[in-house]
Amino acid sequence: MKKILLAFDGEQFSRGAFEFARRMNDMQPVMLIGVFLPHLDLSVSWTYATAGSASSIPLLEKTAGKTVAKNILKFEQECNHYGIKHRVHKYPYDLAIPELRKETRFADLLILGSEKFYENFGMETPNEYLRMTVQDAECPVVLVPEKFTFPESIVLSYDGSDDSTHAIRSFTCLFPGLTQKQAVMVYLAASENEEMPDKDYAEELVSSHFSNLSIKVLPRRSGKHLNTWLSELKHPMLVSGSYGRSDLSMMFRKSFVTQVINDHKLPIFIAHR
């Protein structure tokens, strides 16, 4: 049984994130931990960006209490309805953000609503708080839009780094039931003639886990080509490595992961060391 964290902010209950957790439980029973975080005071959110630490954001205890209680009740009712083993974690307001980071150290997976998680934290998608939460997590993360179809194909993003292969291995351990789906290992090439690095090794690794595998090299700058290609896949889920931790992954994020979040509204699995 896997321990899954499902985190909600003070104002929002992500139906998409819960639905993804429910489908995971259908495949194999899980222990689902509902983590309920308070609302953030956006009037001083600049301190977060400058300090680089989520613990610097003041929290609005009075305005969020009733909403959090309502969301906890909804979570418990849904879990009981679907027969999901669950627990609720709610932190004191001055410890909520650091405790979420600590929780990920003792969990197999964190699920976040890519559209709902602190959606009031700016107009950008994904917002800064969502990006930093993913980067700080010490376990793999799944970002889920509100409306989606459970994955029927898997896109394995590969850039030649150890983080990308680590993400693929982590995904196979957490989602063995999805390794029989159609899988595409995709490499975004900087030039037309660039080859996938260590292709033979990568193909050996991935083909040992995915029985229905193909390999695709796409030009990194061809956004239109990428959009067309993704739209042709049947209800895909993206698997990605490091999220914004190096020049290469930052470039990959800008050209692929963020674009997928904005344009395609599909589940994304992210794992880094």
Side-chain angles (χ1 to χ4, degrees):
M1 179 176 289
K2 297 178 178 66
K3 178 182 175 182
I4 310 299
L5 302 179
L6 183 56
F8 303 98
D9 75 82
E11 291 192 331
Q12 302 293 342
F13 184 96
S14 173
R15 173 59 56 183
F18 181 86
E19 179 64 16
F20 192 92
R22 182 188 73 79
R23 292 297 302 270
M24 285 190 65
N25 187 75
D26 289 345
M27 297 173 65
Q28 185 179 24
V30 302
M31 166 64 79
L32 188 60
I33 310 297
V35 180
F36 292 86
L37 305 173
H39 186 52
L40 302 182
D41 185 353
L42 302 184
S43 65
V44 289
S45 61
W46 60 271
T47 60
Y48 174 58
T50 56
S53 171
S55 60
S56 65
I57 305 178
L59 305 169
L60 300 180
E61 181 171 3
K62 294 182 180 180
T63 59
K66 292 183 179 180
T67 305
V68 171
K70 181 179 179 181
N71 286 339
I72 289 175
L73 178 61
K74 181 186 299 185
F75 172 79
E76 293 178 326
Q77 290 174 337
E78 294 281 356
C79 286
N80 289 331
H81 177 74
Y82 290 107
I84 303 174
K85 188 175 182 179
H86 64 281
R87 295 179 182 175
V88 170
H89 291 182
K90 179 184 175 184
Y91 310 119
Y93 282 79
D94 57 342
L95 296 176
I97 308 306
E99 282 298 317
L100 175 59
R101 186 181 301 117
K102 181 190 290 186
E103 285 250 26
T104 63
R105 188 178 305 164
F106 302 98
D108 294 301
L109 182 71
L110 169 65
I111 301 177
L112 300 171
S114 59
E115 296 175 275
K116 288 292 185 181
F117 191 70
Y118 285 112
E119 66 176 349
N120 59 329
F121 201 84
M123 298 299 294
E124 185 182 9
T125 303
N127 63 55
E128 182 66 16
Y129 188 73
L130 179 61
R131 291 201 299 266
M132 293 300 293
T133 301
V134 172
Q135 289 178 23
D136 288 344
E138 297 184 27
C139 69
V141 181
V142 170
L143 303 178
V144 186
E146 289 308 291
K147 294 182 179 180
F148 72 100
T149 299
F150 202 70
E152 296 184 30
S153 63
I154 309 299
V155 177
L156 306 164
S157 62
Y158 173 72
D159 63 4
S161 69
D162 58 349
D163 271 329
S164 61
T165 54
H166 172 73
I168 293 170
R169 288 194 298 268
S170 298
F171 180 84
T172 61
C173 291
L174 286 167
F175 297 95
L178 296 181
T179 58
Q180 303 304 312
K181 304 290 186 181
Q182 176 191 4
V184 184
M185 182 168 64
V186 60
Y187 176 71
L188 299 183
S191 64
E192 184 177 348
N193 298 322
E194 182 182 2
E195 296 184 355
M196 179 182 292
D198 299 318
K199 178 181 177 181
D200 292 341
Y201 290 122
E203 185 175 2
E204 285 178 352
L205 170 66
V206 179
S207 63
S208 67
H209 293 285
F210 294 89
S211 57
N212 184 12
L213 175 69
S214 59
I215 297 176
K216 190 80 172 178
V217 177
L218 294 174
R220 181 178 290 123
R221 296 181 180 179
S222 179
K224 184 177 180 181
H225 187 185
L226 176 63
N227 286 335
T228 301
W229 175 74
L230 276 174
S231 65
E232 293 173 350
L233 296 176
K234 186 176 181 180
H235 306 306
M237 178 176 185
L238 173 65
V239 176
S240 175
S242 181
Y243 190 69
R245 290 195 166 195
S246 67
D247 291 341
L248 179 61
S249 61
M250 182 69 74
M251 180 168 56
F252 187 85
R253 182 192 76 179
K254 289 181 178 179
S255 63
F256 195 31
V257 175
T258 297
Q259 183 178 347
V260 169
I261 293 174
N262 287 332
D263 298 342
H264 297 281
K265 301 295 189 293
L266 52 86
I268 301 175
F269 176 92
I270 300 172
H272 52 69
R273 295 183 183 277

